[in-house]
């Protein structure tokens, strides 16, 4: 993994929100995997290390209006999400970033009402460019859908992407290793939480 300059690197958490990985998740199997595997704690550790190193942190949150206006309905996933008992409604606890991840005053929280990726059709790309970011560290859920979408979108837009393999997860757990090996490793630098936190702790 190349040295990551805090001035041009950002850390992105993807859908690490109460309604996805929290105790009252709409997706309990995914939430259990995120907690039991230690992934959620490692994302929190990366966020803390990024804050200490001066790395910009962004949190991508998926939500919907109570009336569903503007939300996708063109895939089974979207239609099923609209019927779940826990809905990611704007302004609700479900769309707050989940503990133990700390949201600092300088962090940016990006909310989207549509799609599978926090990069497509949102403010994420222009915000990163305005901040002078060239490298994006992607963490969160899920390795089934949102994480690959985010990585591919970022690579297509010219960013160098880094994925800490132990700070993403999906269901079943075996899916994550397969996605990393067969897809993400072809387009992103694969690392670990330990290596990243050590990198950001180095004197500049």
């Amino acid at each position: 993994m190349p040295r990551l300059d805090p001035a041009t690197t950002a850390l992105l958490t993807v859908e690490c929100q109460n309604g996805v990985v929290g105790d009252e998740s709409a997706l309990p199997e995914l939430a259990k995997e995120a907690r039991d595997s230690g992934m959620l704690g490692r994302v929190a550790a990366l966020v803390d290390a990024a804050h200490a190193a001066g790395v910009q942190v962004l949190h991508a949150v998926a939500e919907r209006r109570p009336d569903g206006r503007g939300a996708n309905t063109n895939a089974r996933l979207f239609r099923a999400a609209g019927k779940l008992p826990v809905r990611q409604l704007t302004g609700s606890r479900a769309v707050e970033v989940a503990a133990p991840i700390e949201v600092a005053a300088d962090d940016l929280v990006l909310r989207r009402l549509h799609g599978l990726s926090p990069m497509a059709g949102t403010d994420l790309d222009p915000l990163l460019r305005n901040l002078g970011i060239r490298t994006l560290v992607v963490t969160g859920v899920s390795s089934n859908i949102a994480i690959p979408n985010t990585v591919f979108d970022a690579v297509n837009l010219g960013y160098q992407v880094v994925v800490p393999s132990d700070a993403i997860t999906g269901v079943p757990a075996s899916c994550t290793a397969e996605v990393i090996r067969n897809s993400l490793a072809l387009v992103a630098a694969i690392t670990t939480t330990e290596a990243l936190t050590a990198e950001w702790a180095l004197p500049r």
Side-chain angles (χ1 to χ4, degrees):
M1 182 183 70
R3 290 290 300 271
L4 301 181
D5 181 358
T8 59
T9 301
L11 172 67
L12 177 69
T13 73
V14 179
E15 296 182 25
C16 290
Q17 59 200 78
N18 287 323
V20 177
V21 296
D23 292 338
E24 301 174 7
S25 172
L27 305 165
E29 186 179 1
L30 178 59
K32 185 176 188 301
E33 176 62 26
R35 292 192 304 271
D36 291 355
S37 68
M39 184 224 77
L40 197 56
R42 285 188 286 272
V43 172
L46 283 170
V47 168
D48 290 345
H51 288 156
V55 172
Q56 178 67 55
V57 177
L58 304 98
H59 306 278
V61 173
E63 59 182 48
R64 61 187 290 130
R65 289 165 48 110
D67 61 7
R69 187 176 296 274
N72 288 68
T73 58
N74 58 331
R76 187 176 66 171
L77 173 67
F78 301 124
R79 295 189 292 271
K83 299 175 183 177
L84 291 172
V86 178
R87 301 175 67 198
Q88 315 300 321
L89 297 181
T90 299
S92 71
R93 185 176 180 276
V95 297
E96 295 175 1
V97 176
I101 298 169
E102 294 288 339
V103 180
D106 288 341
D107 292 2
L108 296 173
V109 179
L110 296 100
R111 305 182 182 278
R112 77 177 196 276
L113 293 171
H114 63 87
L116 299 170
S117 166
M119 183 70 78
T122 72
D123 290 336
L124 180 54
D125 179 40
L127 288 176
L128 293 174
R129 294 189 187 281
N130 287 346
L131 291 163
I133 302 301
R134 300 304 310 143
T135 301
L136 188 64
V137 179
V138 177
T139 66
V141 295
S142 74
S143 56
N144 307 77
I145 296 174
I147 295 298
N149 269 269
T150 305
V151 171
F152 297 147
D153 285 346
V155 170
N156 282 332
L157 289 167
Y159 294 96
Q160 177 183 356
V161 179
V162 176
V163 177
S165 59
D166 56 352
I168 65 170
T169 200
V171 288
S174 58
C175 170
T176 302
E178 292 298 321
V179 168
I180 290 171
R181 181 183 305 113
N182 296 309
S183 296
L184 301 186
L186 303 178
V187 295
I190 307 301
T191 186
T192 64
T193 296
E194 182 179 13
L196 266 179
T197 53
E199 160 74 17
W200 285 335
L202 291 173
R204 301 291 167 178

